[in-house]
Amino acid sequence: MKYIIRAAKYFLYIAVFLVILLVLLSLFNIIGGNVNEIFRNGTKSVWQIALLLVAFSALYPALSFGRRDAIVPGSFEQIRDGVIKLMEERGYMLEKEEGENMVFRFRSPVRRIFHMFEDRITFTRSMSGFELEGYIKDIVRVISALEYRFRSE
């Protein structure tokens, strides 16, 4: 269900962006104001573009969200405060903590909006440290910072 919601969000986000772009271009007389002037095939092109957006939106969550392992040595009690401090330095706040698992979200509402409220990073305790789940671009950066901060000397 989460996958379908993400795909729908991306479809709406891209569609609204394209509509705003076309309206602005039309207002500044860069393109014509009629659909038949803007697109080669007129209204037929609108449906083709919509199908392209549906395909892209359906693929994007599969490519952009996932899980990665972070190797963080030490017991949870030893590393917990360091993990929370690192995440706060990166603009996240602790949303909830259940046992040795933690969930972080952006502190800034602006950053949350630009991530379409898909900014949650879930830390699940594993044998080697943590398994992080979330937006891959963000979790790769967090994993790099975690492993650098907690690496063994």
mmCIF file of all heavy atoms in Angstrom, residues 56-75:
data_model
loop_
_atom_site.group_PDB
_atom_site.id
_atom_site.type_symbol
_atom_site.label_atom_id
_atom_site.label_comp_id
_atom_site.label_asym_id
_atom_site.label_seq_id
_atom_site.Cartn_x
_atom_site.Cartn_y
_atom_site.Cartn_z
ATOM 1 N N PHE A 56 6.652 6.349 -15.172
ATOM 2 C CA PHE A 56 7.771 6.846 -14.369
ATOM 3 C C PHE A 56 7.423 6.811 -12.879
ATOM 4 O O PHE A 56 8.236 6.391 -12.055
ATOM 5 C CB PHE A 56 8.149 8.267 -14.795
ATOM 6 C CG PHE A 56 9.252 8.854 -13.983
ATOM 7 C CD1 PHE A 56 10.559 8.460 -14.196
ATOM 8 C CD2 PHE A 56 8.983 9.786 -12.987
ATOM 9 C CE1 PHE A 56 11.590 8.987 -13.436
ATOM 10 C CE2 PHE A 56 10.006 10.316 -12.230
ATOM 11 C CZ PHE A 56 11.313 9.918 -12.456
ATOM 12 N N SER A 57 6.220 7.263 -12.547
ATOM 13 C CA SER A 57 5.794 7.291 -11.146
ATOM 14 C C SER A 57 5.695 5.888 -10.560
ATOM 15 O O SER A 57 5.917 5.696 -9.369
ATOM 16 C CB SER A 57 4.443 7.992 -11.017
ATOM 17 O OG SER A 57 4.535 9.320 -11.456
ATOM 18 N N ALA A 58 5.353 4.922 -11.377
ATOM 19 C CA ALA A 58 5.265 3.545 -10.896
ATOM 20 C C ALA A 58 6.647 2.948 -10.631
ATOM 21 O O ALA A 58 6.814 2.134 -9.725
ATOM 22 C CB ALA A 58 4.508 2.690 -11.900
ATOM 23 N N LEU A 59 7.643 3.350 -11.402
ATOM 24 C CA LEU A 59 9.001 2.827 -11.229
ATOM 25 C C LEU A 59 9.800 3.566 -10.160
ATOM 26 O O LEU A 59 10.656 2.978 -9.504
ATOM 27 C CB LEU A 59 9.771 2.901 -12.550
ATOM 28 C CG LEU A 59 9.383 1.908 -13.614
ATOM 29 C CD1 LEU A 59 10.125 2.198 -14.911
ATOM 30 C CD2 LEU A 59 9.679 0.497 -13.144
ATOM 31 N N TYR A 60 9.559 4.842 -9.992
ATOM 32 C CA TYR A 60 10.404 5.667 -9.135
ATOM 33 C C TYR A 60 10.505 5.175 -7.687
ATOM 34 O O TYR A 60 11.612 5.100 -7.145
ATOM 35 C CB TYR A 60 9.943 7.128 -9.183
ATOM 36 C CG TYR A 60 10.918 8.059 -8.524
ATOM 37 C CD1 TYR A 60 12.113 8.382 -9.138
ATOM 38 C CD2 TYR A 60 10.664 8.587 -7.270
ATOM 39 C CE1 TYR A 60 13.025 9.222 -8.537
ATOM 40 C CE2 TYR A 60 11.566 9.427 -6.658
ATOM 41 C CZ TYR A 60 12.743 9.745 -7.297
ATOM 42 O OH TYR A 60 13.637 10.563 -6.684
ATOM 43 N N PRO A 61 9.408 4.822 -7.027
ATOM 44 C CA PRO A 61 9.560 4.340 -5.644
ATOM 45 C C PRO A 61 10.419 3.084 -5.516
ATOM 46 O O PRO A 61 11.145 2.921 -4.534
ATOM 47 C CB PRO A 61 8.115 4.062 -5.207
ATOM 48 C CG PRO A 61 7.290 4.945 -6.055
ATOM 49 C CD PRO A 61 7.996 4.983 -7.376
ATOM 50 N N ALA A 62 10.355 2.199 -6.504
ATOM 51 C CA ALA A 62 11.166 0.974 -6.447
ATOM 52 C C ALA A 62 12.647 1.293 -6.543
ATOM 53 O O ALA A 62 13.490 0.604 -5.959
ATOM 54 C CB ALA A 62 10.764 0.026 -7.566
ATOM 55 N N LEU A 63 12.985 2.343 -7.277
ATOM 56 C CA LEU A 63 14.381 2.715 -7.464
ATOM 57 C C LEU A 63 14.895 3.660 -6.391
ATOM 58 O O LEU A 63 16.099 3.770 -6.187
ATOM 59 C CB LEU A 63 14.562 3.361 -8.842
ATOM 60 C CG LEU A 63 14.164 2.498 -10.041
ATOM 61 C CD1 LEU A 63 14.243 3.318 -11.319
ATOM 62 C CD2 LEU A 63 15.033 1.272 -10.131
ATOM 63 N N SER A 64 14.007 4.365 -5.708
ATOM 64 C CA SER A 64 14.425 5.423 -4.791
ATOM 65 C C SER A 64 14.322 5.082 -3.315
ATOM 66 O O SER A 64 14.882 5.793 -2.494
ATOM 67 C CB SER A 64 13.593 6.676 -5.045
ATOM 68 O OG SER A 64 13.802 7.131 -6.348
ATOM 69 N N PHE A 65 13.595 4.047 -2.963
ATOM 70 C CA PHE A 65 13.429 3.688 -1.564
ATOM 71 C C PHE A 65 13.915 2.267 -1.352
ATOM 72 O O PHE A 65 13.703 1.405 -2.193
ATOM 73 C CB PHE A 65 11.949 3.806 -1.144
ATOM 74 C CG PHE A 65 11.447 5.213 -1.158
ATOM 75 C CD1 PHE A 65 10.880 5.737 -2.301
ATOM 76 C CD2 PHE A 65 11.570 6.020 -0.047
ATOM 77 C CE1 PHE A 65 10.426 7.047 -2.347
ATOM 78 C CE2 PHE A 65 11.130 7.333 -0.068
ATOM 79 C CZ PHE A 65 10.552 7.841 -1.220
ATOM 80 N N GLY A 66 14.586 2.058 -0.222
ATOM 81 C CA GLY A 66 15.093 0.722 0.034
ATOM 82 C C GLY A 66 15.728 0.604 1.396
ATOM 83 O O GLY A 66 15.565 1.462 2.265
ATOM 84 N N ARG A 67 16.484 -0.467 1.561
ATOM 85 C CA ARG A 67 17.168 -0.774 2.819
ATOM 86 C C ARG A 67 18.659 -0.939 2.564
ATOM 87 O O ARG A 67 19.054 -1.481 1.541
ATOM 88 C CB ARG A 67 16.641 -2.074 3.413
ATOM 89 C CG ARG A 67 15.212 -2.057 3.810
ATOM 90 C CD ARG A 67 14.778 -3.456 4.243
ATOM 91 N NE ARG A 67 13.371 -3.468 4.535
ATOM 92 C CZ ARG A 67 12.881 -3.698 5.755
ATOM 93 N NH1 ARG A 67 13.681 -3.968 6.750
ATOM 94 N NH2 ARG A 67 11.589 -3.679 5.948
ATOM 95 N N ARG A 68 19.444 -0.504 3.508
ATOM 96 C CA ARG A 68 20.894 -0.680 3.464
ATOM 97 C C ARG A 68 21.388 -0.950 4.881
ATOM 98 O O ARG A 68 20.808 -0.483 5.857
ATOM 99 C CB ARG A 68 21.603 0.574 2.930
ATOM 100 C CG ARG A 68 21.230 0.995 1.526
ATOM 101 C CD ARG A 68 21.864 0.060 0.501
ATOM 102 N NE ARG A 68 21.690 0.535 -0.853
ATOM 103 C CZ ARG A 68 20.652 0.278 -1.636
ATOM 104 N NH1 ARG A 68 19.657 -0.434 -1.183
ATOM 105 N NH2 ARG A 68 20.599 0.734 -2.868
ATOM 106 N N ASP A 69 22.488 -1.696 4.982
ATOM 107 C CA ASP A 69 23.092 -2.006 6.276
ATOM 108 C C ASP A 69 24.189 -1.012 6.611
ATOM 109 O O ASP A 69 24.979 -0.631 5.742
ATOM 110 C CB ASP A 69 23.681 -3.416 6.273
ATOM 111 C CG ASP A 69 22.613 -4.490 6.258
ATOM 112 O OD1 ASP A 69 21.578 -4.287 6.916
ATOM 113 O OD2 ASP A 69 22.812 -5.517 5.590
ATOM 114 N N ALA A 70 24.240 -0.632 7.881
ATOM 115 C CA ALA A 70 25.309 0.219 8.402
ATOM 116 C C ALA A 70 26.060 -0.579 9.458
ATOM 117 O O ALA A 70 25.451 -1.123 10.382
ATOM 118 C CB ALA A 70 24.742 1.495 9.015
ATOM 119 N N ILE A 71 27.369 -0.641 9.311
ATOM 120 C CA ILE A 71 28.190 -1.368 10.278
ATOM 121 C C ILE A 71 28.590 -0.390 11.372
ATOM 122 O O ILE A 71 29.403 0.511 11.158
ATOM 123 C CB ILE A 71 29.427 -1.982 9.593
ATOM 124 C CG1 ILE A 71 28.966 -2.954 8.508
ATOM 125 C CG2 ILE A 71 30.318 -2.665 10.613
ATOM 126 C CD1 ILE A 71 30.066 -3.460 7.612
ATOM 127 N N VAL A 72 27.971 -0.579 12.528
ATOM 128 C CA VAL A 72 28.210 0.296 13.674
ATOM 129 C C VAL A 72 28.545 -0.591 14.868
ATOM 130 O O VAL A 72 27.652 -1.215 15.447
ATOM 131 C CB VAL A 72 26.966 1.164 13.982
ATOM 132 C CG1 VAL A 72 27.256 2.118 15.128
ATOM 133 C CG2 VAL A 72 26.518 1.927 12.746
ATOM 134 N N PRO A 73 29.833 -0.683 15.241
ATOM 135 C CA PRO A 73 30.217 -1.564 16.348
ATOM 136 C C PRO A 73 29.820 -0.987 17.704
ATOM 137 O O PRO A 73 29.738 0.221 17.879
ATOM 138 C CB PRO A 73 31.738 -1.653 16.210
ATOM 139 C CG PRO A 73 32.131 -0.397 15.510
ATOM 140 C CD PRO A 73 30.990 -0.023 14.627
ATOM 141 N N GLY A 74 29.553 -1.880 18.626
ATOM 142 C CA GLY A 74 29.232 -1.472 19.990
ATOM 143 C C GLY A 74 27.830 -1.874 20.381
ATOM 144 O O GLY A 74 26.995 -2.193 19.542
ATOM 145 N N SER A 75 27.583 -1.830 21.682
ATOM 146 C CA SER A 75 26.247 -2.146 22.170
ATOM 147 C C SER A 75 25.337 -0.942 21.946
ATOM 148 O O SER A 75 25.799 0.188 21.762
ATOM 149 C CB SER A 75 26.290 -2.505 23.656
ATOM 150 O OG SER A 75 26.614 -1.353 24.414
#
